Amino acid sequence: MSVRYALYLAPPSDAALWRFGSAVVGYDAETGADCIAPDLSGFAPEDWRALTEEPRRYGFHGTLKAPFRLAEGVDETDLLGALARFAAGHHPFELPPLEVRQISAFVALTPPAPVPALEDLAAEAVEALDALRAPLSEAEIARRRPERLTPRQVSYLHRFGYPYVREEFRFHMTLTGPLSEPAIGHAANALAEAYLASGAHMPVQVEDVVLFVQESARARFRILHRAPLGG
């Protein structure tokens, strides 16, 4: 697999939200270091580490444009230039305090209500960088399990490389991998307690969009560049 990039929303490294999310998933994508998980009621540290293996690969983030490879003839310099132009066209905005919620089989932080500035940012990110994206391989399409998607989601998967864009977009910052039915409610309650205790339940000023990079299939994503909104 060639290098992959992703455009995410990620709080500044000195924000309580970044410290909390990185500790929960067990990895700081800014420094590349492992993190010690917070004390979560009912979960031993080694058990929690197993439950967060999947989000640890990506680092704590909210997706704007899902991981992609660069198209033939496009290089990282081209991507950074396009990202700078995109970010310059948007203004900073405030993200309200997020809430711990169950989404399908995992737990994540989500806004309590739609945030129009965030919705617009994500919708335009999908379009603005898509000319630089290589088409998905058949294997990549298969991994998305298109047989489980709606017709519109399948259409978006083929058009943009990701099924959950435009009307299907729901911003979230993942905290766990898939959990069994008995465990998910318990995990959500434990995370809600830890979240409130962390001081991270505060508004966050979104001042940039963040380019992550994955150097190889076995590598974790790392923060490569923060592009300031408004230039």
Side-chain angles (χ1 to χ4, degrees), residues 67 69 133-141 144 157-158 160-162:
R69 293 172 290 107
R133 178 183 65 84
L136 293 181
S137 67
E138 291 299 321
E140 288 171 326
I141 292 173
R144 285 292 176 188
L157 175 63
H158 288 282
F160 297 112
Y162 190 59

Side-chain angles (χ1 to χ4, degrees), residues 207-228:
E207 297 182 340
D208 54 30
V209 289
V210 189
L211 188 66
F212 281 52
V213 62
Q214 183 190 34
E215 298 287 354
S216 69
R218 294 182 179 274
R220 294 176 184 171
F221 278 81
R222 286 283 307 270
I223 290 178
L224 176 64
H225 179 68
R226 290 181 178 268

Side-chain angles (χ1 to χ4, degrees), residues 25-156:
V25 303
Y27 168 61
D28 187 320
E30 184 88 61
T31 65
D34 284 346
C35 298
I36 299 174
D39 185 16
L40 296 171
S41 175
F43 292 93
E46 61 273 17
D47 294 335
W48 186 255
R49 190 162 181 83
L51 296 177
T52 53
E53 180 179 359
E54 185 172 331
R56 190 158 50 251
R57 288 183 60 216
Y58 297 90
F60 181 59
H61 72 277
T63 298
L64 298 175
K65 188 169 183 62
F68 60 93
R69 293 172 290 107
L70 293 179
E72 186 175 354
V74 175
D75 62 21
E76 193 173 278
T77 300
D78 298 324
L79 175 59
L80 290 171
L83 176 59
R85 292 189 291 274
F86 163 72
H90 293 266
H91 297 293
F93 61 92
E94 186 176 86
L95 192 66
L98 303 178
E99 298 178 349
V100 175
R101 291 183 181 172
Q102 175 183 343
I103 300 178
S104 186
F106 62 95
V107 180
L109 290 168
T110 67
V115 181
L118 174 58
E119 305 281 333
D120 291 345
L121 185 70
E124 293 183 29
V126 168
E127 301 272 359
L129 302 180
D130 208 57
L132 286 69
R133 178 183 65 84
L136 293 181
S137 67
E138 291 299 321
E140 288 171 326
I141 292 173
R143 281 197 292 273
R144 285 292 176 188
R145 306 294 296 272
E147 69 277 6
R148 296 186 177 185
L149 301 175
T150 67
R152 183 165 65 186
Q153 289 168 348
V154 171
S155 173
Y156 287 158

